[in-house]
Amino acid sequence: MEWKHTLKENRLRVTPARMAVLELLEKKDAPMDIQAILAELSASSIPCDQVTVYRMMETFVEKGMVKQVNFEDGKFRYEIEGEHHHHLVCEQCGSIQAIHDPCLAVSETEVKQKYNFQITRHHLEFFGLCQSCANL
Amino acid sequence: MEWKHTLKENRLRVTPARMAVLELLEKKDAPMDIQAILAELSASSIPCDQVTVYRMMETFVEKGMVKQVNFEDGKFRYEIEGEHHHHLVCEQCGSIQAIHDPCLAVSETEVKQKYNFQITRHHLEFFGLCQSCANL
DNA sequence: CTGATTGCAAACATTTTGCATGCTG
DNA sequence: CAGCATGCAAAATGTTTGCAATCAG
């Protein structure tokens, strides 16, 4: 009902596929790619075409409901737009964890003054080994 | 001759295309995508197939001579591997500028302790408006 | 001369577009 | 019932692979 409301607020129609995808993304705390979303939908017996998922993502990103993120493997992932955060990407197993702490102090003012560049946003990802892979 | 030496060090053969691409990437201070590299080669009348450029990039990245970078537009760019730095990406004109200052203090130790994640590297990109676009 | 490098064709993966059908409001 | 949303087919884009011809060492 949370999402039903959000969809209506954005003048979008409430469909089973849309509800399912939004709930899916919300449950997972890591960005999902199109294939992963499709697999989950299929597992839940919710019929939905690949193209529809692409179109949903486009719509949701436009409306600011979902954020498109981009790691190093040539495809996009999507996550619910929320509080700004960063990611820990395991180079071994590919698992992705969100970290919600600042953990960094980006001096946007300094960049602005030094390079005359007006920053609107930034991306920061950490690559390395997750706990399980480090212990192998 | 700098590059000739580097290629030999890495047991790679010195070919016109390889020399041209390395000099090209060195001259530009921003990462280039495959099409841009091809265009420059073509402009310099150096015959080279697209596939060859992809393969060169793969080889150079493996050898640590070149770094693959990934912004938000679904394709890879390549730059000479050097001192760690970050990028300013203009959302208006797409221009990319490298910034070589730290400008950020990432607490890798804190992340390691808090999330049990062993960081090997990170990516940081700033998106916004470059000087020219901000003045339009 | 030997094997690394290249070119061409074709395959692949991801994402986008066109159009007719169907469902939401 | 009007128009948004979906499915299917097909195209566009970026990247990879197979194989034979070529060039560097």
Side-chain angles (χ1 to χ4, degrees):
Chain A
M1 26 207 54
E2 187 62 63
W3 288 121
K4 195 173 289 193
H5 186 243
T6 309
L7 285 170
K8 284 180 176 168
E9 270 183 347
N10 285 289
R11 285 175 245 84
L12 297 175
R13 295 190 171 168
V14 178
T15 69
R18 282 179 172 172
M19 289 300 289
V21 168
L22 288 168
E23 282 162 10
L24 207 62
L25 288 175
E26 186 175 39
K27 198 160 50 188
K28 266 228 163 50
D29 192 27
M32 299 177 75
D33 62 34
I34 301 290
Q35 293 312 317
I37 294 172
L38 270 171
E40 293 273 6
L41 287 177
S42 172
S44 309
S45 306
I46 294 167
C48 184
D49 193 88
Q50 209 181 29
V51 175
T52 301
V53 180
Y54 277 105
R55 283 199 270 234
M56 279 195 282
M57 292 305 105
E58 190 187 3
T59 306
F60 294 163
V61 169
E62 266 171 18
K63 297 293 187 183
M65 301 163 62
V66 161
K67 191 161 77 167
Q68 189 183 54
V69 303
N70 187 324
F71 302 136
E72 309 211 295
D73 56 359
K75 63 184 169 187
F76 292 112
R77 286 179 175 74
Y78 302 88
E79 66 185 0
I80 298 297
E81 177 78 69
E83 188 188 9
H84 180 67
H85 60 272
H86 308 295
H87 297 104
L88 303 176
V89 183
C90 180
E91 293 180 306
Q92 192 73 49
C93 68
S95 72
I96 297 163
Q97 188 182 354
I99 60 177
H100 295 274
D101 314 47
C103 286
L104 98 152
V106 180
S107 172
E108 302 208 345
T109 321
E110 192 184 330
V111 173
K112 165 126 197 196
Q113 289 174 350
K114 207 157 188 175
Y115 297 95
N116 237 298
F117 187 93
Q118 191 178 317
I119 298 176
T120 57
R121 60 204 172 84
H122 68 261
H123 283 191
L124 174 63
E125 283 95 38
F126 296 99
F127 296 85
L129 290 177
C130 72
Q131 184 165 10
S132 336
C133 291
N135 292 330
L136 289 186
Chain B
M1 23 211 58
E2 186 61 66
W3 288 120
K4 195 173 289 191
H5 185 243
T6 308
L7 286 169
K8 285 180 177 170
E9 269 182 346
N10 285 289
R11 285 176 244 86
L12 297 175
R13 295 191 171 169
V14 179
T15 69
R18 281 178 174 172
M19 288 300 291
V21 168
L22 288 169
E23 282 162 10
L24 207 63
L25 288 176
E26 186 175 38
K27 198 159 52 188
K28 268 230 160 53
D29 193 28
M32 299 177 74
D33 62 35
I34 301 290
Q35 293 313 317
I37 294 172
L38 269 171
E40 294 272 5
L41 288 175
S42 171
S44 310
S45 306
I46 293 167
C48 184
D49 193 85
Q50 207 180 31
V51 174
T52 301
V53 180
Y54 276 107
R55 283 198 271 233
M56 281 194 281
M57 294 303 105
E58 192 186 3
T59 305
F60 294 163
V61 169
E62 265 172 18
K63 297 293 187 183
M65 301 162 62
V66 162
K67 191 161 78 167
Q68 187 183 56
V69 304
N70 188 323
F71 301 138
E72 307 212 297
D73 56 0
K75 66 184 168 188
F76 292 112
R77 288 180 174 75
Y78 302 88
E79 66 185 359
I80 297 298
E81 175 79 68
E83 189 187 12
H84 181 69
H85 61 271
H86 308 296
H87 296 103
L88 303 177
V89 183
C90 179
E91 293 180 304
Q92 192 75 49
C93 69
S95 72
I96 298 164
Q97 187 182 353
I99 60 177
H100 295 273
D101 312 45
C103 285
L104 98 151
V106 179
S107 173
E108 302 209 345
T109 321
E110 192 183 329
V111 173
K112 165 124 196 198
Q113 289 175 349
K114 208 157 186 174
Y115 296 95
N116 238 297
F117 188 92
Q118 191 178 317
I119 298 176
T120 58
R121 59 205 172 85
H122 67 263
H123 282 191
L124 174 62
E125 282 96 36
F126 296 99
F127 296 85
L129 289 176
C130 71
Q131 185 165 11
S132 338
C133 292
N135 292 331
L136 290 184

